[in-house]
Amino acid sequence: MGSFKERWNITSDWQVFVILVVFAVTGSTSALIAKPILSFFGITKSSTSLWMFYPLYILMIFPVYQILLVSFGFLFGQFKFFWAFEKKMLRSVKLGFIADFFEK
């Protein structure tokens, strides 16, 4: 836990635990939510080639994950940490303009 605390600049073990729970819940939830979203657009395993379905599914997980990460971070009282994490992640994939838009 010490390395997480040092790396993320946080002070308590409880905060590390909450952050790890948020990451776990967000990952699972984004995978669950992505399929119904694709289904809404008519993209299902049975109607689409699996070679097309799975890349679209993975691409759909990314924006869902970003939104849920900040949302669950807010619900668990860690918005500041997750907003900073989100901005760093978006900038690393060259989508920093999205974070900059919300900063104004």
Side-chain angles (χ1 to χ4, degrees), residues 26 39 43-44 50 54 61 68-69 75-76 87 103:
T26 302
S39 179
I43 302 169
T44 62
L50 293 180
Y54 282 111
I61 288 174
L68 289 177
L69 187 63
L75 291 174
F76 281 82
K87 290 188 295 186
E103 288 294 312

Side-chain angles (χ1 to χ4, degrees), residues 21-45:
V21 167
V22 169
F23 278 124
V25 169
T26 302
S28 301
T29 307
S30 63
L32 283 172
I33 291 177
K35 281 186 183 176
I37 292 172
L38 286 175
S39 179
F40 176 77
F41 291 110
I43 302 169
T44 62
K45 282 184 188 179

Side-chain angles (χ1 to χ4, degrees), residues 45-89:
K45 282 184 188 179
S46 60
S47 70
T48 310
S49 161
L50 293 180
W51 290 101
M52 187 179 231
F53 176 78
Y54 282 111
L56 289 172
Y57 176 60
I58 292 167
L59 286 173
M60 180 54 66
I61 288 174
F62 181 74
V64 171
Y65 182 85
Q66 305 312 312
I67 293 166
L68 289 177
L69 187 63
V70 175
S71 301
F72 284 137
F74 175 77
L75 291 174
F76 281 82
Q78 298 298 318
F79 179 79
K80 184 177 176 183
F81 172 83
F82 283 104
W83 181 239
F85 186 87
E86 185 66 32
K87 290 188 295 186
K88 185 176 177 183
M89 184 186 306

Side-chain angles (χ1 to χ4, degrees), residues 62-63 66 86-102:
F62 181 74
Q66 305 312 312
E86 185 66 32
K87 290 188 295 186
K88 185 176 177 183
M89 184 186 306
L90 287 171
R91 288 189 179 108
S92 72
V93 293
K94 306 298 185 221
L95 295 173
F97 64 91
I98 296 171
D100 294 339
F101 175 77
F102 288 107

